[in-house]
């Protein structure tokens, strides 16, 4: 299976690293919109200009598109889907339906298969929600995120006057998490589920109390949460907060029995040292599924919910039945 | 979707209860090998003789076969698969491959679809293993069972001379579970992972120390585990140990990164008040998938690994994309 990576940030690097662990995949190269000579790949994979992608049409089985969800993917994925089998990680939940429509037409026209919104949320968490609600139709779902770095919230802090750099951790609140894990179905507000921890490097002489106030009062991002702000040195930020960890849990508590007398808890959890590397690894597994499903004649747009588990695995159906079932 | 239940023990009752929570399903009836007048269903569903099943050929979309794995299912499933779409919960891991072969031919011949080995292990746990190993090809898998009732071990104790009744709980050992959850990949022997707690009602005047010794020394069942034996009254057994709880965790710890420098933990856990009711509910979700896949022309034998999550859900593909993805 010949893979190419389109867009080379942290996620593209994650996909590149994942190729190493998937013996049935081969990396054709990395395609970038930057000057090719300015890009050095982690594994030494060749770098090509994104403008030349069509020259590689016959050499690429699946193109993994590693752009951002805000502006890149809504254009890139439908544009490339007519000529390539593609996988993306589009994660703006509210716009998935329209992204699906836009991509589906292009893929169908070109006789190609596209899989959008792979990764872990959307992705493995979505799958966990569907399995749990199918197994327990009567029940309540909870999703907790973290402890992990939110790139969006970190960026929002960096835009404040007097801030040099910042990292924001989204942290689930233990009391809420433990109540849900114990089988209770509490009604939880935004503030009950997560808190926000900010580590901020300020300019020399900056007004720290103003910065702290601006963070805590920022609408949507922080105002609805209990937020802590800790000022640290740039050295400490680089030393203690250089990773991109994340994770979380999808938990469903549901009832069965003729009088709903029995309670069950289904939980799917992730603890990730590196969000982009894990996400990249998931994208590569879905590239395998796209390749196989397209070989069987499937075209158009699909999501992780349309893919059978067996299609993700390097093992044969018979091996899976013997060793994994 | 018209469902029938073939075999009416605890699992059959679990499927019957699940129909109540799945608005797109209708229960045609329960088929039993016992005298029909001796069987009273929980929901008042009609009871028919198993011998009459072929008279209902055109009224049943999917037959959920609720027999035992030791002797019932290896015969029943291949026998019924030529005339009905079927789902079973065959759980003898070592014989799944041959059960698959036996059923596949019959289903194919009859133009029907069979799904074998649904439930939670095999079933949702198998799926968790496949997703986790696809996302993290480099890593180690761990499955812990319990705390829960093992029917097989309880039965083994009951066969000992002087025992009136017994319940055996399989209990994961915290130290092992916590090590794995923290991301370590320990090498664990049988005794390191689980212990066995036995609650035993003995006959008046029975030799308790002999019974305890016979339990603890029983090969395969107990000899390889740390086992505790507690003698209790029949009253206490009925009061404190009347449920059929179970559960467990599938955990995979894996590495990513160009030098395998990052660690990730993927965990899927269940805590079930009633093992047969939860399993029955999962079987019904797979009956829905079998119905849909057969409508699309699929025949032969499949397992949970061949079913896309969307096919299990009562919601439409569009609803799933909008609300669950």
């Amino acid at each position: 299976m010949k893979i190419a990576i389109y867009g080379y940030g942290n996620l593209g690097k994650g996909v590149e690293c994942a190729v190493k662990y998937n013996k049935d995949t081969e990396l054709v190269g990395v395609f970038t919109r930057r000057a090719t000579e300015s890009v050095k790949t982690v594994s030494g994979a060749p770098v090509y200009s994104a403008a030349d992608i069509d020259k590689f049409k016959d050499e690429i089985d699946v193109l993994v598109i590693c752009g951002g969800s805000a502006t890149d993917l809504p254009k890139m994925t439908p544009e490339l889907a007519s000529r390539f089998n593609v996988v993306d990680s589009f994660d703006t939940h509210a716009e998935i339906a329209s992204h699906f429509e836009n991509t589906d037409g292009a893929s169908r026209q070109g006789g190609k298969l596209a899989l959008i919104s792979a990764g872990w949320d959307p992705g493995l968490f979505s799958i966990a929600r569907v399995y749990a609600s199918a197994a327990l139709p009567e029940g309540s779902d909870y999703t907790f995120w973290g402890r992990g770095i939110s790139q969006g919230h970190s960026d929002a802090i960096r835009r404040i006057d007097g801030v040099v750099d910042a990292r924001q951790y989204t942290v689930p609140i233990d009391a809420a998490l433990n109540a849900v894990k114990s089988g209770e179905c509490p009604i939880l507000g935004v503030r009950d589920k997560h808190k926000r921890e900010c580590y901020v490097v300020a300019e020399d002489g900056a007004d720290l109390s103003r910065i702290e106030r601006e963070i805590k009062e920022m609408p949507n991002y922080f105002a609805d949460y209990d937020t802590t702000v800790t000022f640290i040195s740039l050295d400490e930020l680089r030393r203690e907060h250089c990773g991109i960890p994340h994770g979380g849990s999808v938990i469903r508590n549901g009832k069965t029995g003729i009088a709903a007398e029995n309670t069950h808890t289904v939980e799917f959890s992730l603890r990730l040292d590196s969000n982009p590397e894990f996400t990249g690894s998931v994208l590569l597994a879905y590239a395998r599924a796209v390749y196989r499903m397209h070989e069987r004649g499937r075209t158009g747009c699909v999501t992780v919910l349309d893919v059978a588990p067996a299609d993700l695995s390097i093992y044969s159906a018979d091996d899976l039945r013997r060793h994994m079932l």
Side-chain angles (χ1 to χ4, degrees), chain A:
Chain A
M1 182 176 53
K2 284 173 287 177
I3 296 293
I5 296 167
Y6 193 92
Y8 193 66
N10 284 330
L11 181 58
K13 285 176 193 164
V15 176
E16 183 188 11
C17 289
V19 168
K20 185 181 134 120
Y21 301 98
N22 288 271
K23 304 300 177 198
D24 59 341
T25 61
E26 186 192 317
L27 184 57
V28 173
V30 165
F31 292 80
T32 180
R33 289 173 296 178
R34 287 176 278 165
T36 55
E37 60 279 10
S38 74
V39 174
K40 269 257 174 311
T41 55
V42 177
S43 69
V47 179
Y48 302 108
S49 167
D52 291 336
I53 185 83
D54 283 345
K55 294 181 190 160
F56 292 80
K57 203 171 163 331
D58 298 330
E59 290 175 46
I60 297 168
D61 292 319
V62 185
L63 187 59
V64 184
I65 309 178
C66 298
S69 292
T71 55
D72 294 340
L73 296 177
K75 288 184 184 172
M76 279 180 185
T77 304
E79 202 275 312
L80 291 159
S82 66
R83 281 121 52 226
F84 296 91
N85 294 321
V86 297
V87 172
D88 82 13
S89 62
F90 184 76
D91 68 358
T92 313
H93 287 261
E95 287 163 32
I96 286 175
S98 67
H99 188 54
F100 181 92
E101 293 303 327
N102 296 341
T103 305
D104 190 49
S107 295
R108 234 169 258 284
Q109 240 169 21
K112 298 292 182 184
L113 181 61
L115 187 142
I116 60 162
S117 302
W120 60 273
D121 196 5
L124 299 185
F125 272 20
S126 321
I127 290 166
R129 286 188 276 267
V130 171
Y131 278 116
S133 74
L136 295 169
E138 183 77 21
S140 301
D141 263 340
Y142 297 87
T143 302
F144 291 91
W145 293 275
R147 186 174 192 260
I149 291 279
S150 165
Q151 214 58 58
H153 289 81
S154 301
D155 289 344
I157 299 171
R158 282 188 206 104
R159 286 191 293 265
I160 292 174
D161 200 44
V163 170
V164 175
D165 203 349
R167 295 286 184 286
Q168 193 270 180
Y169 293 88
T170 305
V171 184
I173 292 175
D174 282 340
L177 188 57
N178 291 336
V180 171
K181 280 190 186 215
S182 75
E184 292 174 35
C185 291
I187 294 171
L188 297 170
V190 161
R191 193 180 296 269
D192 303 321
K193 287 179 67 187
H194 297 94
K195 58 187 177 183
R196 301 199 173 277
E197 288 177 8
C198 310
Y199 295 87
V200 182
V201 181
E203 284 171 7
D204 278 351
D207 179 350
L208 301 187
S209 61
R210 175 193 50 83
I211 291 174
E212 179 166 345
R213 200 175 55 244
E214 283 192 38
I215 293 172
K216 290 186 171 177
E217 293 176 355
M218 200 184 295
N220 302 318
Y221 285 88
F222 294 102
D224 300 333
Y225 298 86
D226 289 334
T227 300
T228 59
V229 176
T230 306
F231 290 97
I232 59 176
S233 69
L234 191 55
D235 266 6
E236 187 177 345
L237 186 94
R238 285 180 180 153
R239 203 174 56 238
E240 303 292 335
H241 304 281
C242 59
I244 319 176
H246 219 313
S249 304
V250 171
I251 303 170
R252 186 171 179 87
N253 291 322
K255 300 278 187 185
T256 65
I258 203 70
E261 66 273 33
N262 287 310
T263 302
H264 310 274
T265 300
V266 179
E267 178 181 347
F268 179 76
S269 293
L270 296 171
R271 207 182 53 247
L272 312 175
D273 269 4
S274 164
N275 184 356
E277 284 182 8
F278 183 80
T279 303
S281 193
V282 173
L283 292 187
L284 195 59
Y286 277 98
R288 176 182 293 122
V290 162
Y291 175 67
R292 291 177 178 171
M293 292 165 77
H294 184 254
E295 290 277 299
R296 296 199 297 266
R298 184 94 176 232
T299 62
C301 189
V302 295
T303 76
V304 296
L305 304 180
D306 302 306
V307 176
D311 274 329
L312 298 170
S313 177
I314 194 169
Y315 301 110
S316 72
D318 189 57
D319 274 347
L320 289 177
R321 280 194 298 272
R322 285 175 197 277
H323 305 300
M324 301 280 246
L325 201 65

